[in-house]
Amino acid sequence: MVNDGDGVLSMRLELHADQELDPEHADRLVRRLRVELDELDVERATLAIDGTPPPAGAKGADPVTVGAIIVALSASGGVLTTVIGTLSDWLDRQSRRHRISITIDGDTIELDRATAEQQRALLDAYIRRHTDG
């Protein structure tokens, strides 16, 4: 997450779709996820265009990454927790095996279909690292 000085933070989400999924379906997945995120209380959620640099310190995308979304959100008010919860719920609703990488200020975590307890513990620790709480 990068603070732009106005209390708005930026994070990069990368969807790593099931390798058996055709590219067109994978593209639709990324676009639907972006729409779902844009409906939250975020400043904006935009598709990353080729050449859009990742946040400082982020690792490069791997070949199975089908799309990236840049999300700008308020630095306060629990919006990060809401975004993370939405991503986790989205993965739970998918019938295929996908992963989402979240990069905040060079710190990356991958969400997949881990047990709810495992995922909650990892996400709580990640959120604590990037918020005051």
Side-chain angles (χ1 to χ4, degrees), residues 51-86:
T52 302
K59 297 177 184 174
D62 62 46
V64 298
T65 301
V66 296
I69 302 169
I70 306 299
V71 180
L73 55 121
S74 171
S76 62
V79 180
L80 175 59
T81 302
T82 301
V83 169
I84 299 285
T86 297

Side-chain angles (χ1 to χ4, degrees), residues 12-17 26 30 60-68 99 101:
R12 182 180 178 94
L13 310 174
E14 293 180 358
L15 176 62
H16 308 273
V30 172
D62 62 46
V64 298
T65 301
V66 296
R99 294 177 294 120
S101 296

